[in-house]
Amino acid sequence: MVLSMFFIFLVGTAGSGKSLLTASLEKWLVGSDLSVTVVNLDPGVESPPYTSDVDIREYVDYGEVMRTFGLGPNGALVASLDMAVGHVDDLREEIIETERDYVLVDCPGQMELFAYRNSGPLMVSGLRGDDPAVSLYLLDSNIARTATGYLSSMLLGVSINIRFGLPQQSLLSKPDILTEDEVEEIVQWGEEVYLLGDALDQSADGLVREYSKSILEMLENLDTVTGTIPVSAKNMTGFDILYGELQRVFSGGDNLYE
Amino acid sequence: MVLSMFFIFLVGTAGSGKSLLTASLEKWLVGSDLSVTVVNLDPGVESPPYTSDVDIREYVDYGEVMRTFGLGPNGALVASLDMAVGHVDDLREEIIETERDYVLVDCPGQMELFAYRNSGPLMVSGLRGDDPAVSLYLLDSNIARTATGYLSSMLLGVSINIRFGLPQQSLLSKPDILTEDEVEEIVQWGEEVYLLGDALDQSADGLVREYSKSILEMLENLDTVTGTIPVSAKNMTGFDILYGELQRVFSGGDNLYE
């Protein structure tokens, strides 16, 4: 009998690799003899790289919303998500009925239309109920490869963390497009904030240099800056470290940041 | 003879009201006997609420990109922006030839696909060249009405500021959907950071309360937290205050944050 399910929400900017990571994390967990339910929350996705067990598309028809209300792609996505909030109890019931160990929730491709609207946070809290939950924030390696890009990605991560209010773990997504040295440097920026400061001093221009000290202090105080885990869906690497971190969160209250 | 043109980039999340504000700011400036060039940077927009003088759609055909490469709405937008970067010199030349006082640049609807990709910052720096420039960051009144929403919006604003590296002014967009008291409260959060702290103490839950002190300190140090100007495109209010702020930026070096 399953006493509680562990909810994992995958969030990140469009193109950061959420759906592929959902697919590969499912594969890894199942390969470790754990049972997994995969939830697709993107009304507009055509063929995600996994077989969803629970799917928002069964409740709202994005194409029909577009046609019926004469909306463009963005407007239709927003309207679909707003409409789906009314079905959040049904979605949760479907999830509960699967009686699995883990629930992977692949959030909509455009984070902006999900996180910074009221429907996104409502959907997240409605789905997880009182079950333990964590969000995985994907940093896109294309952006995080420079110190300035990393800094702006971390700020965006804190902003999203506040929107959803869940313990949050940062992942470096698609590290396979970087060299090993680059990946190592990014991981170190997360472990020792002064190294990020040094990198910013060397590469950043006026405004970022002026801001960096205050931002670095904040990141250090929040402790979110520690532990960006590189996880490659392509090479199936990093999942053991991620799993260890998830265990730490789910076993120790739901508190990633203490 | 025009010695230099003043560039104003309008940025904000999808639905925050960039295009409408572009239209009304043009109207206000022209009504004050200033000459204005309006630039549309959204390849996917169908009928913006203004007549653009320079338009990215003359260089890239979003619909054709979709069909030719078999891309969905997001992928086509990303590809169109990437392709348009190759035309940034032509766009700038067109702008220069108009010989106007102000250049209003309406940035793509989905900030996420613009700010957090390499093409966005490249486009911004290529367009403005060495001319004075400022970015106007629109806070959506739907989000900023709560203290927690305001805090996450300000963090997002700092992240965007770092991406573009321009002096940045925060605007409260669509204040006409709020009561006067609500607008006043939001403005005060920007002027006295302790008032925002008080509001967070009263309304926020565990994680935000834990984070708020460090984030507020950062915002206070950056000075970006001061002066969120409510500007209503619908009621044509707030433009005089915004104009005064722009004058201050453009006349005093390009430094909003000192």
Side-chain angles (χ1 to χ4, degrees), chain A residues 74-150:
Chain A
N74 280 343
L77 192 53
V78 168
S80 299
L81 287 169
D82 286 350
M83 290 161 69
V85 171
H87 298 286
V88 69
D89 290 342
D90 301 321
L91 284 161
R92 177 163 166 85
E93 198 167 323
E94 269 200 81
I95 293 169
I96 298 293
E97 280 170 4
T98 62
E99 292 194 357
R100 308 268 170 82
D101 300 318
Y102 286 88
V103 182
L104 304 185
V105 185
D106 184 20
C107 294
Q110 299 169 57
M111 191 180 53
E112 174 175 350
L113 302 180
F114 187 66
Y116 297 104
R117 295 247 157 202
N118 295 323
S119 55
L122 282 173
M123 186 73 86
V124 167
S125 60
L127 284 183
R128 55 101 43 136
D130 292 323
D131 285 323
V134 63
S135 63
L136 299 179
Y137 170 61
L138 276 62
L139 281 89
D140 191 326
S141 285
N142 279 309
I143 305 296
R145 69 197 309 165
T146 68
T148 304
Y150 178 87

Side-chain angles (χ1 to χ4, degrees), chain A residues 12-16 18 62 73-74 109-113 115-118 140 142-143 146 148-149 151-153 155-156 158-163 165-168 174 205-208 210-212 214-215 217-218 221-222 224 255 257-258, chain B residues 12-16 18 62 73-74 109-113 115-118 140 142-143 146 148-149 151-153 155-156 158-163 165-168 174 205-208 210-212 214-215 217-218 221-222 224 255 257-258:
Chain A
T13 49
S16 61
K18 293 182 286 292
Y62 171 76
N74 280 343
Q110 299 169 57
M111 191 180 53
E112 174 175 350
L113 302 180
Y116 297 104
R117 295 247 157 202
N118 295 323
D140 191 326
N142 279 309
I143 305 296
T146 68
T148 304
L151 192 70
S152 66
S153 298
L155 278 164
L156 178 62
V158 177
S159 175
I160 289 166
N161 200 349
I162 287 177
R163 291 293 295 161
L166 298 178
Q168 183 167 299
K174 301 181 282 179
D205 57 1
L207 185 127
V208 177
E210 182 151 344
Y211 283 6
S212 64
S214 302
I215 299 173
E217 273 173 14
M218 179 200 71
N221 289 335
L222 299 195
T224 52
N255 209 338
Y257 45 90
E258 275 187 3
Chain B
T13 49
S16 61
K18 294 182 286 291
Y62 171 75
N74 280 343
Q110 298 171 59
M111 191 180 55
E112 176 174 348
L113 302 179
Y116 297 104
R117 295 247 158 203
N118 295 323
D140 191 325
N142 279 309
I143 305 298
T146 68
T148 305
L151 192 70
S152 66
S153 298
L155 278 164
L156 178 62
V158 177
S159 175
I160 289 167
N161 199 351
I162 287 176
R163 291 294 294 160
L166 298 178
Q168 183 166 300
K174 301 182 283 178
D205 57 0
L207 185 129
V208 177
E210 183 151 344
Y211 282 7
S212 64
S214 302
I215 298 173
E217 274 173 14
M218 179 200 72
N221 288 335
L222 299 196
T224 51
N255 209 338
Y257 43 91
E258 274 186 5

Side-chain angles (χ1 to χ4, degrees), chain B:
Chain B
M1 183 189 159
V2 176
L3 290 176
S4 74
M5 300 172 86
F6 299 121
F7 281 72
I8 300 172
F9 293 88
L10 289 97
V11 298
T13 49
S16 61
K18 294 182 286 291
S19 297
L20 269 181
L21 192 64
T22 302
S24 52
L25 183 54
E26 180 196 20
K27 192 173 154 191
W28 192 91
L29 289 167
V30 169
S32 306
D33 287 332
L34 294 158
S35 59
V36 180
T37 290
V38 178
V39 182
N40 168 50
L41 277 195
D42 191 341
V45 75
E46 294 208 350
S47 46
Y50 50 75
T51 306
S52 57
D53 301 289
V54 178
D55 202 311
I56 196 172
R57 292 174 300 174
E58 287 173 24
Y59 294 89
V60 288
D61 185 331
Y62 171 75
E64 198 175 298
V65 169
M66 258 179 122
R67 287 186 297 274
T68 309
F69 302 104
L71 294 169
N74 280 343
L77 192 54
V78 167
S80 299
L81 287 168
D82 286 350
M83 289 161 69
V85 170
H87 298 287
V88 68
D89 292 341
D90 302 320
L91 284 161
R92 177 164 166 82
E93 198 167 322
E94 267 199 83
I95 292 168
I96 298 292
E97 280 170 4
T98 62
E99 292 195 356
R100 308 270 170 82
D101 301 316
Y102 286 88
V103 183
L104 304 186
V105 185
D106 184 21
C107 294
Q110 298 171 59
M111 191 180 55
E112 176 174 348
L113 302 179
F114 187 66
Y116 297 104
R117 295 247 158 203
N118 295 323
S119 54
L122 283 173
M123 185 74 84
V124 167
S125 62
L127 284 183
R128 56 96 49 129
D130 292 322
D131 284 324
V134 63
S135 62
L136 299 179
Y137 170 61
L138 276 62
L139 282 89
D140 191 325
S141 285
N142 279 309
I143 305 298
R145 70 197 310 165
T146 68
T148 305
Y150 178 87
L151 192 70
S152 66
S153 298
M154 291 306 291
L155 278 164
L156 178 62
V158 177
S159 175
I160 289 167
N161 199 351
I162 287 176
R163 291 294 294 160
F164 293 120
L166 298 178
Q168 183 166 300
Q169 172 67 50
S170 298
L171 305 182
L172 182 67
S173 180
K174 301 182 283 178
D176 39 83
I177 65 169
L178 305 177
T179 66
E180 276 184 36
D181 284 351
E182 283 177 312
V183 172
E184 179 59 22
E185 189 178 22
I186 295 168
V187 170
Q188 286 182 340
W189 289 341
E191 286 168 356
E192 298 288 354
V193 78
Y194 78 90
L195 290 174
L196 178 58
D198 289 349
L200 289 166
D201 280 344
Q202 283 166 33
S203 64
D205 57 0
L207 185 129
V208 177
R209 287 176 73 111
E210 183 151 344
Y211 282 7
S212 64
K213 189 166 167 288
S214 302
I215 298 173
L216 293 178
E217 274 173 14
M218 179 200 72
L219 290 177
E220 197 162 27
N221 288 335
L222 299 196
D223 269 353
T224 51
V225 78
T226 54
T228 299
I229 305 173
V231 178
S232 168
K234 187 180 167 197
N235 299 338
M236 290 299 285
T237 55
F239 289 94
D240 45 350
I241 298 172
L242 169 58
Y243 182 69
E245 203 55 44
L246 291 173
Q247 289 312 103
R248 208 167 66 77
V249 179
F250 287 134
S251 63
D254 61 359
N255 209 338
L256 250 189
Y257 43 91
E258 274 186 5

